[in-house]
Amino acid sequence: MNLEDKLQLINQLRDTGSLAKEQWVSLLRERDEETADYLFQEARKIADKYYGNKIYVRGLIEFTNICKNDCYYCGIRRSNSNVERFRLTDEQIMNCCEVGYDIGYRTFVLQGGEDGYNTADRITGLIRMIKDRYPDTALTLSIGERTREEYQEWFDAGADRYLLRHETANEEHYRKLHPESLSLANRKQCLYNLKEIGYQVGTGFMVGSPYQTEENLAEDFLFIKELGPHMIGIGPFIPHHDTQFKDEKAGTLELTLFCIGLLRLMMPKALIPATTALGTISPQGREMGVKAGANVIMPNLSPVDTREKYLLYDNKICTGEEAAVCVGCLSNRMKNIGYEIVSARGDYYDYTK
Ligand code: 5AD
Ligand code: FES
């Protein structure tokens, strides 16, 4: 393809919100700097149209690193015996919310491994406690695959959003990243259940995970289009030293940014974070993510003394910074590139619950 053909595909994606699989593959395979520059410019225009120069923040509370799963890429996988396991108490979680609320957060994300201690009742209790105390906040859960009934119970208790990355939409590729006990079909079913129940739903994938091909990425875009999530989180794969993927290459900044731009064109109103993983592979990664079309940042609100125990990948940034430090740092970083962090729930553009 010459440059004109590539720009044509970008325009088609912008104007129709979709591409055929072969078109996705060609665009990904033949991407170059000029195409990327044009893509980012168009992606930013669309993000500005719906969300202006506002960047929403989500206070991420990593509340347990205990996980029954053994995903090959993940630093807190069950079989990693070098991890010191922790679980925050209700009181510690409420304390994180208090700190976060005071510095302006209006969304809390409870994220954790698939920890057996998290019975439906415990989670319902947590939701009630947080929503009673902070009724003007949105609450996001990110605790993996559960039954439809549990998802429904938590939604009824007041949870607003749910994050569950599909990781890869290709069956064979999924098998290379996960043990037999996990299935792509179940993961997708969970996402459809969450959406039907009425959550604002987030999915996503890792860029440059081991064995990933351009066809696989094309399938990720097609799956996301079909699901129609409200939020899409992507970040580069980064090897963790205690996993079997320790010697694999990390995903690149360049491809991750390109994917962010494409996601913005495909899903104009989506909430797309510039992720911590993006900030980890490059010092200006999150700023560049915003310039490529992202509009959300998810700083850590977890107690500083447990952060070192929640390392999904190596060299994770901000593990030593207090929550207020990150907010200050990020608001400066955003200001420097002409964006503004806002204290708001930051719901999907035309969402009504
Ligand atoms: N590198 C980058 N991202 C990772 N995740 C898990 N392990 C890694 C890794 N090694 C991502 C997964 C998961 C999210 C919480 O973190 O996509 O869904
Ligand atoms: Fe944490 Fe910059 S965002 S120190």
Side-chain angles (χ1 to χ4, degrees), residues 35-96:
T35 311
D37 286 344
Y38 181 68
L39 169 65
F40 299 155
Q41 173 197 309
E42 294 306 299
R44 216 33 262 181
K45 268 193 225 160
I46 292 174
D48 288 351
K49 175 171 159 195
Y50 293 109
Y51 296 102
N53 74 334
K54 308 269 183 285
I55 303 294
Y56 297 131
V57 283
R58 320 298 196 193
L60 186 64
I61 304 170
E62 298 158 338
F63 74 110
T64 173
N65 71 351
I66 298 170
C67 192
K68 66 170 196 231
N69 293 331
D70 218 14
C71 306
Y72 303 150
Y73 45 83
C74 182
I76 62 167
R77 57 194 300 236
R78 178 183 65 206
S79 64
N80 185 3
S81 53
N82 294 327
V83 180
E84 194 187 322
R85 303 288 167 172
F86 76 91
R87 181 185 287 140
L88 300 187
T89 62
D90 291 8
E91 196 190 346
Q92 285 175 305
I93 294 170
M94 289 310 283
N95 197 42
C96 292

Side-chain angles (χ1 to χ4, degrees), residues 286 297 299-300 307 317-319 321-323 325-330 333:
R286 288 169 298 177
I297 301 245
N300 209 316
R307 293 205 197 162
I317 54 170
C318 297
T319 54
E321 274 72 27
E322 291 291 345
V325 174
C326 286
V327 169
C329 166
L330 282 168
R333 283 169 177 267

Side-chain angles (χ1 to χ4, degrees), residues 144-209:
E145 299 177 24
R146 303 289 291 244
T147 65
R148 186 181 176 123
E149 291 67 34
E150 290 171 314
Y151 288 153
Q152 183 71 57
E153 177 179 328
W154 299 334
F155 185 74
D156 295 340
D160 302 278
R161 309 181 186 142
Y162 206 101
L163 303 178
L164 185 72
R165 290 187 180 178
H166 65 280
E167 313 297 358
T168 171
N170 177 278
E171 192 67 56
E172 262 169 61
H173 187 218
Y174 196 89
R175 285 272 65 84
K176 293 181 179 160
L177 303 180
H178 304 93
E180 276 304 317
S181 53
L182 293 169
S183 87
L184 177 59
N186 191 56
R187 208 155 178 92
K188 287 183 172 175
Q189 190 56 55
C190 286
L191 285 162
Y192 284 109
N193 290 345
L194 289 161
K195 232 196 131 191
E196 267 176 36
I197 289 168
Y199 283 92
Q200 294 175 63
V201 173
T203 194
F205 54 90
M206 287 177 288
V207 176
S209 58

Side-chain angles (χ1 to χ4, degrees), residues 5-16:
D5 293 336
K6 288 181 246 181
L7 301 190
Q8 199 51 47
L9 282 184
I10 303 276
N11 289 340
Q12 184 185 330
L13 178 62
R14 180 198 59 203
D15 298 339
T16 68

Side-chain angles (χ1 to χ4, degrees), residues 20-313:
K21 182 165 179 192
E22 316 76 67
Q23 294 177 312
W24 280 116
V25 173
S26 315
L27 195 50
L28 287 160
R29 205 168 268 157
E30 300 186 40
R31 67 185 193 278
D32 55 26
E33 217 177 303
E34 277 170 292
T35 311
D37 286 344
Y38 181 68
L39 169 65
F40 299 155
Q41 173 197 309
E42 294 306 299
R44 216 33 262 181
K45 268 193 225 160
I46 292 174
D48 288 351
K49 175 171 159 195
Y50 293 109
Y51 296 102
N53 74 334
K54 308 269 183 285
I55 303 294
Y56 297 131
V57 283
R58 320 298 196 193
L60 186 64
I61 304 170
E62 298 158 338
F63 74 110
T64 173
N65 71 351
I66 298 170
C67 192
K68 66 170 196 231
N69 293 331
D70 218 14
C71 306
Y72 303 150
Y73 45 83
C74 182
I76 62 167
R77 57 194 300 236
R78 178 183 65 206
S79 64
N80 185 3
S81 53
N82 294 327
V83 180
E84 194 187 322
R85 303 288 167 172
F86 76 91
R87 181 185 287 140
L88 300 187
T89 62
D90 291 8
E91 196 190 346
Q92 285 175 305
I93 294 170
M94 289 310 283
N95 197 42
C96 292
C97 294
E98 188 180 341
V99 169
Y101 194 89
D102 288 346
I103 50 181
Y105 288 102
R106 293 298 176 267
T107 292
F108 300 123
V109 182
L110 286 182
Q111 184 164 84
E114 295 198 7
D115 179 352
Y117 185 77
N118 287 335
T119 58
D121 277 358
R122 191 214 178 194
I123 299 298
T124 297
L126 277 173
I127 296 166
R128 294 235 165 87
M129 216 162 44
I130 295 172
K131 296 291 274 201
D132 278 354
R133 178 95 64 92
Y134 304 105
D136 60 336
T137 59
L139 185 56
T140 306
L141 300 177
S142 181
I143 51 177
E145 299 177 24
R146 303 289 291 244
T147 65
R148 186 181 176 123
E149 291 67 34
E150 290 171 314
Y151 288 153
Q152 183 71 57
E153 177 179 328
W154 299 334
F155 185 74
D156 295 340
D160 302 278
R161 309 181 186 142
Y162 206 101
L163 303 178
L164 185 72
R165 290 187 180 178
H166 65 280
E167 313 297 358
T168 171
N170 177 278
E171 192 67 56
E172 262 169 61
H173 187 218
Y174 196 89
R175 285 272 65 84
K176 293 181 179 160
L177 303 180
H178 304 93
E180 276 304 317
S181 53
L182 293 169
S183 87
L184 177 59
N186 191 56
R187 208 155 178 92
K188 287 183 172 175
Q189 190 56 55
C190 286
L191 285 162
Y192 284 109
N193 290 345
L194 289 161
K195 232 196 131 191
E196 267 176 36
I197 289 168
Y199 283 92
Q200 294 175 63
V201 173
T203 194
F205 54 90
M206 287 177 288
V207 176
S209 58
Y211 312 109
Q212 184 179 64
T213 63
E214 279 92 2
E215 279 86 0
N216 295 156
L217 279 174
E219 289 172 60
D220 288 322
F221 285 99
L222 292 170
F223 169 68
I224 290 171
K225 187 73 204 177
E226 183 192 302
L227 172 68
H230 306 84
M231 306 169 280
I232 310 156
I234 67 166
F237 159 75
I238 303 172
H240 185 286
H241 62 277
D242 279 327
T243 64
Q244 67 204 71
F245 291 153
K246 63 176 186 294
D247 297 321
E248 299 287 335
K249 280 205 282 298
T252 65
L253 174 71
E254 181 271 322
L255 181 55
T256 308
L257 295 173
F258 198 76
C259 289
I260 289 176
L262 294 173
L263 287 170
R264 173 58 66 200
L265 292 198
M266 182 174 81
M267 310 290 285
K269 299 173 186 169
L271 295 156
I272 303 178
T275 55
T276 304
L278 192 55
T280 296
I281 53 163
S282 171
Q284 298 278 309
R286 288 169 298 177
E287 288 90 328
M288 292 165 93
V290 167
K291 289 192 195 156
N295 65 334
V296 171
I297 301 245
M298 303 175 66
N300 209 316
L301 258 187
S302 318
V304 171
D305 59 332
T306 59
R307 293 205 197 162
E308 285 291 350
K309 300 174 191 157
Y310 202 91
L311 302 180
L312 309 185
Y313 46 81

